[in-house]
């Protein structure tokens, strides 16, 4: 009664301002705090883009080792697996309307690695990421001004939509984004009660996957809406070939599934301002890219004389895992040195692929050089200095490196799959249209054929420059996709 009276006393004559949404994202990586792959770039860049559109975005992510502290704005204490974990929440501003909350729980996150150490997953990853999800929901419950949407990314935050069911009052809608269906967060079912989950949800329609607990499936089953990071991948994951055993689950929820293409952070990845390049360049001053090529060859210990500089440089920056098509390269490793190009590789991952590149570098020290490790500086220099960027992925939900490459006038050679199809336009030698070279069949000869086409285009300076400029002028900004996310958030938020 009192409440109704108060409400009727506050007639608002002022025109209603289009209210920004309050969005809480949950991601296990975020630039510049932590990164193993594209999720880190996307979590931060999407939050910044939404902030620029006038929304209020918070990204919750673990405070891993060596990440600087921010101002402590709250605390959560949650019991997971019979142990009470406490975390301070450190706030760091990303930009207008966007901030990160670093979940500081040293017991869980202050370690040498992010997900693993010496190739072995941490045995308590179920606890580490159940806690992250629970912390986000707990923080949401503490807010006087509630969130409209909880947006979870990948398996590490798959339990967010499950835990969110405990919220009362104005309940936010939940969105789950698949960045990669291959990583599913599978754990023994013994974890179900220990993580505060209900056996009645351990079903085919819930989070059970072949008698194990799947964090990813929890996200797919319980979120109000599902997105993935390109329209083509959204189609592909509904087929067994790309479904990693979950295509049936994806099909069952296709009415709430949308493929929204990732953008890139055009400030971070801008050849005209990139402090990690020796000399800035843009489409109007493409000649200045030569300084990056020289610096790249020198940094990688390859010959950088005039003759060598004239030769095309093929670059790769990649997690060294099956997804990235490294077995195709292994199949033709012996012919690579005969292609008339130099190779520079930056990557880390499976020992067999690391070993392959190390061996190739030792065998052909004047043509091939690989850096095994994670290195932001080298990654930028490869984008800036290489002529061709190779990405022969077996599958690729979106892929960011092909977009970074195009922006830096480095022509991508990619397999026509997932987001690579949606971002690289095939080069047509007759009219000079297109931004890269594609091949379809997952076969070594098909990849070599595409590389051959790229190398022959490189031989025609006029055509090559056009191809480079086509890519440099393409729009890969977040603007369009961020607006699509907003539309989707508005559909799922629940107004009470
Ligand atoms: P994925 O997320 O599948 O690894 P993406 O292309 O979406 O593929 O994103 C990969 C991101 O990680 C890019 O920003 C890329 O530059 C970066 N990256 C991958 N490996 C390395 C590495 N060894 N050193 C530095 N950056 C890397
Ligand atoms: C995943 C995918 C990659 C995508 C990235 C960001 O790691 O493998 O294709 O670009 O997430 O969405």
């Amino acid at each position: 009664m009192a409440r109704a009276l108060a409400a009727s006393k506050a007639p608002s004559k002022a025109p209603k301002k289009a209210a920004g949404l309050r969005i809480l994202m949950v991601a296990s990586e975020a630039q510049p705090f932590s990164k193993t792959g594209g999720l880190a770039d996307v979590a931060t860049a999407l939050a910044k883009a939404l902030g620029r559109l006038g929304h209020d975005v918070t990204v919750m992510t673990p405070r891993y080792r060596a990440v600087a502290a921010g101002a402590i704005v709250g605390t959560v204490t949650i019991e997971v697996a019979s142990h009470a974990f406490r975390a301070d929440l450190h706030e760091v501003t990303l930009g207008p309307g966007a901030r990160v909350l670093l979940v500081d729980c040293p017991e869980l996150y202050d370690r040498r690695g992010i997900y693993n150490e010496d190739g072995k997953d941490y045995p308590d990853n179920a606890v580490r990421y159940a806690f992250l999800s629970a912390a986000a929901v707990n923080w949401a419950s503490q807010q006087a001004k509630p969130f409209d949407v909880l947006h979870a990314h990948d398996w590490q935050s798959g339990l967010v939509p499950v835990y969110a069911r405990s919220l009362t009052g104005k309940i936010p809608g939940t969105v789950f984004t698949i960045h990669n269906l291959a990583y599913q967060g599978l754990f023994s079912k013994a974890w179900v009660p220990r993580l505060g989950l209900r056996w009645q949800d351990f079903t085919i329609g819930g989070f059970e996957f072949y008698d194990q607990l799947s964090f990813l499936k929890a996200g797919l089953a319980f979120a109000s809406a599902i997105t993935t990071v390109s329209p083509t991948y959204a189609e592909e994951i509904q087929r067994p070939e790309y479904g990693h055993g979950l295509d049936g689950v994806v099909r069952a929820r296709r009415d709430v599934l949308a493929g929204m293409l990732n953008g890139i952070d055009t400030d971070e990845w801008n050849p005209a301002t990139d402090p990690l390049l020796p000399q800035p360049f843009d489409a109007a001053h493409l000649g200045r890219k030569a300084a990056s090529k020289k610096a790249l060859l020198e940094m990688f210990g390859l010959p950088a004389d005039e003759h060598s500089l004239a030769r095309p440089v093929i670059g790769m920056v990649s997690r060294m895992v099956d997804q990235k098509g490294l077995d195709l390269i292994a199949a033709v490793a012996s012919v690579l040195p005969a292609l008339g190009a130099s190779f520079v590789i930056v990557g880390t991952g499976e020992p067999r692929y690391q070993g392959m590149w190390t061996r190739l570098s030792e065998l052909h020290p004047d043509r091939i050089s690989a850096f095994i490790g994670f290195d932001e500086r080298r990654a930028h220099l490869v984008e800036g200095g290489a002529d061709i960027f190779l990405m022969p992925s077996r599958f690729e939900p979106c892929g960011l490196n092909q977009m970074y490459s195009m922006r830096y006038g480095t022509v991508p050679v990619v397999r026509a799959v997932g987001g690579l199809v949606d971002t690289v336009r095939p080069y047509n030698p007759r009219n000079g249209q297109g931004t890269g070279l594609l091949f379809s069949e997952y076969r070594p000869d098909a990849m070599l054929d595409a590389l051959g086409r790229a190398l022959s285009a490189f031989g025609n300076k006029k055509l090559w420059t056009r191809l480079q400029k086509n890519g440099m002028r393409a729009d890969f900004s977040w603007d369009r996709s961020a607006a699509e996310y907003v539309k989707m958030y508005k559909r799922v938020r629940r107004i009470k």
Side-chain angles (χ1 to χ4, degrees):
M1 190 63 185
R3 218 182 291 154
L5 208 68
S8 66
K9 264 195 189 162
S12 151
K13 285 200 186 111
K16 265 199 178 160
K17 262 213 308 203
L21 295 167
R22 270 172 58 76
I23 303 146
L24 180 62
M25 291 206 198
V26 191
S28 57
E29 309 177 12
Q31 268 287 66
F33 310 100
S34 56
K35 172 166 170 176
T36 68
L39 167 63
D41 304 48
V42 170
T44 300
L46 174 57
K48 282 165 71 179
L50 291 165
R52 282 196 300 271
L53 290 177
H55 303 285
D56 182 87
V57 193
T58 301
V59 182
M60 267 183 111
T61 193
R63 180 172 180 225
Y64 297 107
R65 178 167 296 178
V67 174
I72 296 179
V73 294
T75 300
V76 291
T77 303
I78 299 161
E79 191 178 304
V80 183
S82 312
H83 180 85
F85 293 96
R86 179 180 186 279
D88 289 330
L89 305 177
H90 297 241
E91 182 174 305
V92 183
T93 301
L94 289 175
R99 72 200 62 79
V100 158
L101 277 190
L102 298 163
V103 181
D104 187 24
C105 181
E107 260 180 285
L108 294 176
Y109 306 128
D110 183 9
R111 303 192 183 170
R112 225 169 8 103
I114 291 188
Y115 308 121
N116 48 48
E117 230 168 86
D118 305 323
K120 269 215 202 119
D121 282 348
Y122 290 122
D124 59 347
N125 273 347
V127 176
R128 298 173 77 224
Y129 294 106
F131 178 75
L132 176 66
S133 300
V137 172
N138 183 294
W139 177 246
S141 75
Q142 293 183 30
Q143 303 308 298
K145 198 172 167 206
F147 287 103
D148 296 297
V149 180
L150 303 185
H151 183 171
H153 296 264
D154 266 355
W155 75 262
Q156 292 87 347
S157 53
L159 297 184
V160 167
V162 183
Y163 291 148
R165 296 188 300 188
S166 67
L167 289 171
T168 51
K170 184 174 180 282
I171 302 167
T174 52
V175 175
F176 181 71
T177 295
I178 307 163
H179 293 264
N180 197 326
L181 202 64
Y183 299 97
Q184 305 187 346
L186 284 177
F187 301 99
S188 154
K189 66 181 171 189
W191 284 106
V192 170
R194 306 193 72 210
L195 301 181
L197 304 171
R198 306 185 310 185
W199 281 115
Q200 69 211 69
D201 294 323
F202 189 71
T203 60
I204 276 208
F207 42 59
E208 183 260 355
F209 188 68
Y210 295 97
D211 210 33
Q212 286 193 293
L213 162 64
S214 164
F215 276 36
L216 182 83
K217 207 175 157 202
L220 295 178
F222 295 106
S224 335
I226 303 170
T227 74
T228 188
V229 289
S230 72
T232 297
Y233 193 60
E235 291 301 320
E236 288 171 345
I237 54 176
Q238 299 185 40
R239 306 204 302 263
E241 191 188 355
Y242 294 105
H244 300 278
L246 286 170
D247 45 293
V249 178
V250 176
R251 279 197 305 279
R253 300 225 63 203
R254 73 180 144 209
D255 52 330
V256 297
L257 169 71
M260 301 197 226
L261 199 60
N262 283 336
I264 63 171
D265 186 325
T266 48
D267 298 329
E268 271 299 296
W269 295 92
N270 181 357
T273 55
D274 192 333
L276 302 177
L277 301 185
Q279 191 184 10
F281 62 90
D282 56 26
H285 305 93
L286 205 41
R288 295 182 189 161
K289 185 172 159 71
S292 290
K293 182 167 178 175
K294 188 157 190 288
L296 175 68
L297 292 174
E298 282 166 355
M299 179 166 223
F300 278 76
L302 291 172
D305 55 279
E306 213 173 302
H307 185 64
S308 308
L309 278 169
R311 212 184 282 134
V313 172
I314 300 174
M316 280 185 89
V317 180
S318 181
R319 291 184 294 117
M320 290 186 175
V321 295
D322 275 337
Q323 175 194 344
K324 301 294 179 181
L326 287 151
D327 51 334
L328 290 188
I329 297 174
V332 295
S334 60
V335 307
L336 295 183
L339 289 180
S342 307
F343 286 82
V344 283
I345 314 297
V346 181
T348 172
E350 288 180 30
R352 60 189 165 138
Y353 293 133
Q354 296 187 167
M356 171 184 87
W357 282 116
T358 307
R359 265 193 312 281
L360 281 170
S361 313
E362 284 162 7
L363 278 173
H364 312 282
D366 56 334
R367 283 304 175 93
I368 301 180
S369 177
F371 174 83
I372 305 299
F374 201 92
D375 185 70
E376 201 75 29
R377 179 141 181 260
R378 284 184 170 83
H380 279 250
L381 201 53
V382 170
E383 297 297 2
D387 299 294
I388 294 168
F389 193 90
L390 179 61
M391 219 166 151
S393 306
R394 183 185 285 274
F395 67 94
E396 196 61 74
C398 179
L400 300 172
N401 279 119
Q402 78 282 10
M403 292 190 264
Y404 299 153
S405 301
M406 288 183 271
R407 193 119 207 274
Y408 283 66
T410 300
V411 175
V413 172
V414 305
R415 177 153 177 259
V417 72
L420 298 172
V421 177
D422 297 330
T423 52
V424 182
R425 281 187 292 118
Y427 166 61
N428 179 342
R430 278 183 295 280
N431 60 15
Q433 301 281 306
T435 58
L437 291 297
L438 291 99
F439 65 98
S440 298
E441 294 288 310
Y442 192 75
R443 288 207 325 258
D445 54 327
M447 178 187 73
L448 276 187
D449 176 72
L451 268 180
R453 282 184 279 134
L455 294 171
S456 91
F458 181 83
N460 182 332
K461 182 116 191 343
K462 207 169 140 215
L463 269 183
W464 189 254
T465 307
R466 175 134 183 218
L467 184 48
Q468 287 177 297
K469 288 187 176 173
N470 289 348
M472 294 180 91
R473 288 182 181 136
D475 178 9
F476 298 117
S477 69
W478 265 103
D479 300 347
R480 212 185 48 192
S481 295
E484 275 183 57
Y485 273 101
V486 171
K487 274 196 212 146
M488 191 254 323
Y489 292 150
K490 287 187 173 161
R491 278 201 303 275
V492 304
R493 81 176 149 164
R494 293 184 210 147
I495 303 155
K496 277 205 167 174

